[in-house]
Amino acid sequence: DRTNGGSVELESARFSAQTWRLFAQYKADNHKEQDATGAMNAEFKDALVSYAAEDNIQISPKLLLSLGAGQHQLRPISVFSVGNSYSLPSVKTANNVQAGFYYDWTESARLYATVADKTRLPTLKDRYSQRLGSYVENPALGAERSLNLEFGYQGQPMKSLAIEAAVFHSRVDDKIQSTFIAGGSSCSAATPCQMRNVGETRVSGLELGLRSQLETWLELGGNLTVMDQKNVSDPSIRAIGVPDRKLFLHALLRP
């Protein structure tokens, strides 16, 4: 597996109280399989081309409005596998937009609200990987779209304590996830799985983060995420792949 690419970003503060950014990226993913003699058994290659623009507008000394838009194109270049008659898929295009309000309540506290329309384009692994015979490929796998809302707080109530808190809600259409084809309790050659678009899901959650500088040489911190995930179009298919509870703790020493 090999990934090559590059990106370029242009930033301008030419206009009063505004910061413009333009962004372009190219990324090529290449997967090859060879047997012991060096003969090519499979080769899959995609190119992802992205263009985006962002405008940060300082409405007032305390209020910032951020607007962004982007287009992504997934361009299949090669789909070859011995024993399979794959046809080259068409180009998949995704248009995304997002907006955010950021309010500096005090010098050490910020409130924000964001809304974003996002797309997850299926990767080569999502579409073609058989996971050593435990999965069935799905070349026709579609894109996943989500509408995401988030409200949050970022602050430093004390010199040695930083706090982040956020509540979020996502409406996901055509969610991509692993699914059993004919029952079973694990993905295997006898009971294979497949990556599919499983329908419409809802994800709501809360995230908390703390970071404390106890001494000049010691920092402690942690992050907690709690989520509720529901498949509203087909409750018999559970939303999987992301844990409902996640706790991360860290200690940083600077001897």
Side-chain angles (χ1 to χ4, degrees):
D1 290 290
R2 183 185 298 273
T3 297
N4 297 308
S7 62
V8 60
E9 184 175 341
L10 174 66
E11 180 177 306
S12 172
R14 177 180 295 273
F15 301 105
S16 176
Q18 292 190 59
T19 302
W20 275 92
R21 292 185 180 91
L22 299 176
F23 178 83
Q25 175 181 282
Y26 177 87
K27 182 169 75 77
D29 293 319
N30 191 5
H31 172 83
K32 292 182 179 180
E33 298 177 11
Q34 294 174 300
D35 63 18
T37 66
M40 188 70 65
N41 284 347
E43 181 175 20
F44 302 98
K45 189 173 183 180
D46 274 346
L48 180 65
V49 182
S50 300
Y51 305 98
E54 181 184 74
D55 187 15
N56 290 324
I57 307 168
Q58 197 72 48
I59 298 176
S60 71
K62 289 192 171 186
L63 184 61
L64 174 72
L65 170 63
S66 179
L67 303 173
Q71 185 187 73
H72 310 277
Q73 295 180 0
L74 183 66
R75 303 174 179 175
I77 296 175
S78 174
V79 286
F80 164 74
S81 178
V82 173
N84 295 287
S85 55
Y86 296 129
S87 58
L88 194 66
S90 59
V91 174
K92 287 184 170 64
T93 302
N95 298 308
N96 296 332
V97 293
Q98 62 185 34
F101 280 99
Y102 302 87
Y103 177 69
D104 292 328
W105 188 15
T106 66
E107 289 186 358
S108 59
R110 166 176 277 193
L111 303 174
Y112 68 88
T114 62
V115 57
D117 183 19
K118 296 286 188 178
T119 306
R120 173 188 168 187
L121 294 169
T123 64
L124 286 176
K125 183 174 182 179
D126 291 334
R127 306 198 309 273
Y128 296 105
S129 177
Q130 298 180 17
R131 272 85 157 180
L132 301 177
S134 61
Y135 272 69
V136 176
E137 63 271 39
N138 186 3
L141 185 65
E144 170 187 304
R145 291 195 66 90
S146 62
L147 180 64
N148 310 284
L149 303 174
E150 183 172 324
F151 302 91
Y153 163 85
Q154 298 169 335
Q156 194 168 355
M158 300 168 55
K159 185 178 180 180
S160 61
L161 179 64
I163 299 175
E164 294 184 357
V167 292
F168 55 88
H169 178 78
S170 296
R171 172 179 173 174
V172 185
D173 294 322
D174 296 322
K175 177 177 170 60
I176 297 174
Q177 77 171 39
S178 175
T179 305
F180 286 109
I181 296 177
S185 58
S186 64
C187 300
S188 66
T191 56
C193 295
Q194 187 178 51
M195 299 299 290
R196 291 181 176 179
N197 298 106
V198 297
E200 189 176 321
T201 62
R202 298 286 187 273
V203 181
S204 299
L206 168 70
E207 192 167 42
L208 299 173
L210 298 174
R211 191 175 69 254
S212 178
Q213 192 73 40
L214 297 182
E215 301 287 348
T216 56
W217 53 271
L218 175 61
E219 175 186 297
L220 298 180
N223 182 278
L224 171 68
T225 303
V226 180
M227 292 193 303
D228 179 47
Q229 306 176 79
K230 295 180 180 177
N231 188 330
V232 296
S233 58
D234 188 352
S236 66
I237 300 178
R238 293 182 57 204
I240 62 172
V242 180
D244 291 328
R245 307 286 184 271
K246 183 172 67 172
L247 176 64
F248 176 78
L249 302 174
H250 77 267
L252 179 62
L253 304 178
R254 294 185 177 91

